[in-house]
Amino acid sequence: MQEFHEIYTSIYQWLDMFLISTFRLISNPVSGFFFGTFLLSLWCTLIGELTSLGVGRINRTHLKKLEQESIRLHNLSVKAIIHKDKESYRACNKMANEAWGKYFFATISQSAASVWPVPFALAWMHTRFEAIEFELAYPIPLLPDVVGYPAVFIPMYILVRICFAKLKPWLPLFHGDDAPKLRRPGQEDEKMITWADVDKHKGLPG
Amino acid sequence: MIASESGWAQVANLQEAIDAAPKGTERGEINPEAPLGYLGIPGGPQINLILAFFWAIWVGWIFSTVGAFGGIMAGVGHITVYGLGNYAGTFRQSAPTINRAVTDSIRVSNQFMVGTSALISSINYYKMGRLVLPVAAALAIGSIAGSYLIPLLTAGKISFRDYVGYFGIFVLFLGCYMLYETTPRGAAGKKKAKQAADAFESTMKKKRSGEKVDTSELGVKMTKFSLGKIAFTFYGVEFSFNPLFPIFGGFIIAAIAAFLGVGGGFMLVPFLTSVTGLPMYLSAGTSALAVLIGMITSILSYLQQGVLVHWPLIGTQLVGIVVGSMVGPYTSQYIPDKWLKRVFIILAFYVGLDFMARGFLGKNIMTMFFG
């Protein structure tokens, strides 16, 4: 246990040194704080996205199975409504919603995998920047007049996530879903019938 | 101090309560010499992050195999497993502010745990155009009201015992619902839906694929819009609902979710399907957005009241959930659904009754029955 504690402490010290050094890259303290927070948001986004990618690959078969079941039942409900069969629509829709519920909760891991570094980043910032305060130029509902480091980190993180999502198609590792390569002939997935498809084809597509 | 100058009252109040609490080493006393623990309280519980990690694996496992019970188990972890409940309880008489601050921290921590998914899925559904904005707006009005009001009215005012009691009622209700689903009557409803869906599927298989279908009435057409009734045809089939239902339903669900510190998604989806008749394609996205709006409002409202959060605990739990959800699919195939359901019914009854007994009678269930 003692050894574990020592390892934990030395990892923490190393990380602390590494993270704070990025806040000191710019000599002006305010600019340095904003730049450091930007880099920290970038780290959180990168690590989160990489974890999410890994988890996605491990859980892919299971998630695909759940997704396919909800798509199958949804498509059935579309067919029922197109045939003006209200009772079958209600039944199929109820089943589709249940199947989707399972899929929704199973995808929670994916969401948690992409955001887990954020609370740790906030915990570390608390140890370093607890006393920092910014006065808001304009009052924002639900926020006090003076805010702390989370009010800089959280919007910065959201901005970085949005930019990252836009850049994804050009980034190695993140640029696409490689799932189609794994499917064998005859194992093609059922595609979800969207209402736009129904409108476009004046009925059921295909 | 930021807290005292900016109106984040609870942070300042907690410090004042720590200063004012009786000093010593007995129950309900603060030992100023002790190392800082949970929320920076001297002598407060030192959260064992390894234990929290393993408990979160269990929560993640439930999320990936059962679904709704994950939020409840996250709550059980905060209340019982990490020792926060017992600790808060010791200050019931001597320092009620500390008791309430720990209670609020548990409530908001639960919401962080269960709310992250709504954010990402809502963005995806919005991109796919899978949101019905008028219904989402109606739900959102109710959700915002419920999620804002509950923390505003209850933050800093709910004692740990009350919270645990109400949490117990909710879990017991969930247990009863799960039990009802396994009864012949409850199962019949589900079976009927499955039979109707299967019958329709086989009819579709028999029909030739190129069959002509009358789709002269495309999409949704509003036929009546008043305060009492919204009627519309959906591809020529008539549906109607009372517009006040989504507002009222959104309010009630968000209020329960904010009070207990749960997501509420598992209550919203069945509500939307049964009340509005929305197809899954649209109700999934609409409910995810409503959960997201409710969660953001509620978390911000709690934070505005100055509720304190233990960030390393939240982070550790998120990692545990990820691991648990990865393990889930590989293990659940060996456990039949029926058995899984029975285990959770027993668990729901035990947790529900135990929390109710603790909350309303001040005793745990084991003491009540076995002395």
Side-chain angles (χ1 to χ4, degrees):
Chain A
M1 205 61 197
Q2 184 63 25
E3 245 175 51
F4 173 79
H5 185 72
E6 274 167 23
I7 294 169
Y8 172 80
T9 312
S10 61
I11 291 174
Y12 180 79
Q13 279 169 348
W14 181 85
L15 261 176
D16 180 57
M17 241 165 57
F18 169 74
L19 292 174
I20 201 67
S21 66
T22 59
F23 282 78
R24 291 169 179 154
L25 286 174
I26 297 176
S27 53
N28 178 302
V30 177
S31 313
F33 177 76
F34 276 87
F35 184 68
T37 309
F38 165 73
L39 286 182
L40 187 64
S41 310
L42 196 64
W43 281 120
C44 288
T45 306
L46 265 176
I47 297 168
E49 287 284 326
L50 277 171
T51 324
S52 177
L53 198 75
V55 172
R57 291 201 175 163
I58 293 169
N59 275 2
R60 183 165 48 206
T61 322
H62 175 66
L63 286 178
K64 200 89 218 163
K65 209 173 95 189
L66 293 175
E67 191 191 14
Q68 274 300 299
E69 181 63 5
S70 63
I71 289 176
R72 186 183 73 83
L73 289 159
H74 159 74
N75 286 354
L76 212 55
S77 78
V78 175
K79 288 171 190 171
I81 201 93
I82 296 296
H83 283 85
K84 299 196 174 18
D85 182 347
K86 191 172 173 179
E87 198 191 324
S88 296
Y89 163 75
R90 279 202 180 272
C92 296
N93 192 37
K94 195 178 175 204
M95 303 286 296
N97 263 306
E98 270 197 34
W100 178 81
K102 270 198 162 180
Y103 173 66
F104 176 80
F105 283 110
T107 51
I108 280 180
S109 63
Q110 209 98 358
S111 317
S114 65
V115 294
W116 71 266
V118 174
F120 289 113
L122 283 166
W124 176 77
M125 285 186 95
H126 183 79
T127 64
R128 286 286 189 172
F129 306 109
E130 191 195 351
I132 280 188
E133 46 186 270
F134 297 95
E135 206 167 308
L136 290 177
Y138 300 99
I140 299 175
L142 290 178
L143 285 181
D145 300 336
V146 179
V147 292
Y149 61 88
V152 177
F153 175 78
I154 293 170
M156 186 86 85
Y157 173 73
I158 295 169
L159 270 178
V160 171
R161 281 298 292 253
I162 293 169
C163 295
F164 190 85
K166 300 270 178 216
L167 286 172
K168 247 181 177 178
W170 293 280
L171 295 174
L173 274 178
F174 298 104
H175 63 272
D177 180 19
D178 57 354
K181 290 177 206 156
L182 297 168
R183 284 178 210 142
R184 293 192 206 99
Q187 279 192 323
E188 286 81 13
D189 292 335
E190 187 173 347
K191 285 212 167 62
M192 182 176 266
I193 304 173
T194 68
W195 302 109
D197 287 340
V198 177
D199 289 355
K200 194 176 145 196
H201 294 88
K202 305 273 178 218
L204 297 167
Chain B
M1 271 302 281
I2 305 173
S4 52
E5 289 167 13
S6 62
W8 285 48
Q10 206 170 359
V11 187
N13 284 350
L14 179 64
Q15 194 50 53
E16 277 172 22
I18 292 170
D19 296 340
K23 303 288 178 292
T25 51
E26 297 295 312
R27 262 177 75 88
E29 294 177 341
I30 294 261
N31 176 9
E33 307 299 317
L36 298 183
Y38 190 69
L39 305 183
I41 304 167
Q46 300 289 337
I47 297 285
N48 185 340
L49 291 181
I50 297 169
L51 178 70
F53 173 72
F54 282 104
W55 183 258
I57 292 180
W58 163 236
V59 173
W61 188 85
I62 296 167
F63 264 133
S64 65
T65 51
V66 186
F69 219 73
I72 302 293
M73 277 295 139
V76 172
H78 288 120
I79 294 166
T80 311
V81 183
Y82 314 146
L84 299 180
N86 279 342
Y87 180 71
T90 57
F91 293 103
R92 194 166 158 254
Q93 305 286 351
S94 60
T97 310
I98 297 178
N99 177 312
R100 289 165 196 159
V102 174
T103 308
D104 288 343
S105 165
I106 293 171
R107 295 202 282 171
V108 80
S109 299
N110 282 354
Q111 289 220 305
F112 270 110
M113 291 277 290
V114 291
T116 46
S117 64
L119 174 67
I120 288 153
S121 49
S122 292
I123 296 168
N124 289 337
Y125 289 123
Y126 177 72
K127 278 189 201 157
M128 289 191 271
R130 289 178 61 176
L131 299 170
V132 185
L133 285 174
V135 179
L139 271 176
I141 292 168
S143 287
I144 290 172
S147 310
Y148 183 69
L149 275 178
I150 291 295
L152 186 73
L153 296 175
T154 65
K157 296 185 184 87
I158 294 293
S159 77
F160 184 76
R161 264 179 71 168
D162 289 343
Y163 171 63
V164 163
Y166 289 118
F167 195 96
I169 291 179
F170 181 74
V171 177
L172 195 67
F173 178 76
L174 201 68
C176 290
Y177 179 73
M178 283 165 90
L179 188 68
Y180 169 74
E181 277 197 319
T182 59
T183 62
R185 201 177 156 190
K190 222 173 186 179
K191 207 174 165 189
K192 210 177 140 195
K194 195 179 178 313
Q195 275 171 349
D198 289 347
F200 181 73
E201 191 174 21
S202 70
T203 315
M204 285 307 293
K205 274 181 187 160
K206 280 179 205 152
K207 286 189 176 173
R208 281 183 294 132
S209 56
E211 189 208 0
K212 280 265 177 198
V213 178
D214 171 29
T215 51
S216 50
E217 291 179 90
L218 292 175
V220 178
K221 278 181 191 156
M222 201 75 81
T223 53
K224 192 182 175 189
F225 189 98
S226 71
L227 265 182
K229 191 179 180 184
I230 289 182
F232 61 96
T233 59
F234 186 49
Y235 289 88
V237 182
E238 278 190 9
F239 289 90
S240 67
F241 65 88
N242 186 328
L244 295 176
F245 279 174
I247 300 177
F248 190 65
F251 177 81
I252 297 287
I253 292 170
I256 295 173
F259 184 82
L260 297 173
V262 294
F266 67 100
M267 295 184 271
L268 264 176
V269 178
F271 173 77
L272 269 183
T273 324
S274 49
V275 170
T276 63
L278 271 181
M280 181 282 270
Y281 182 75
L282 301 171
S283 62
T286 308
S287 57
L289 181 74
V291 171
L292 173 69
I293 291 169
M295 297 291 302
I296 291 177
T297 317
S298 155
I299 289 174
L300 278 178
S301 186
Y302 272 124
L303 292 180
Q304 190 197 23
Q305 306 302 316
V307 172
L308 297 152
V309 178
H310 191 298
W311 291 114
L313 177 65
I314 306 268
T316 307
Q317 291 184 114
L318 285 180
V319 179
I321 284 189
V322 173
V323 176
S325 309
M326 282 159 67
V327 177
Y330 296 95
T331 51
S332 62
Q333 54 187 313
Y334 303 108
I335 308 165
D337 257 11
K338 213 174 176 179
W339 279 101
L340 209 58
K341 203 165 242 177
R342 283 176 186 165
V343 168
F344 281 98
I345 289 168
I346 295 170
L347 211 56
F349 271 84
Y350 176 75
V351 172
L353 289 172
D354 185 43
F355 279 17
M356 275 170 69
R358 279 182 195 216
F360 301 127
L361 305 170
K363 289 177 182 169
N364 74 37
I365 203 164
M366 288 292 175
T367 328
M368 270 180 69
F369 287 110
F370 304 107

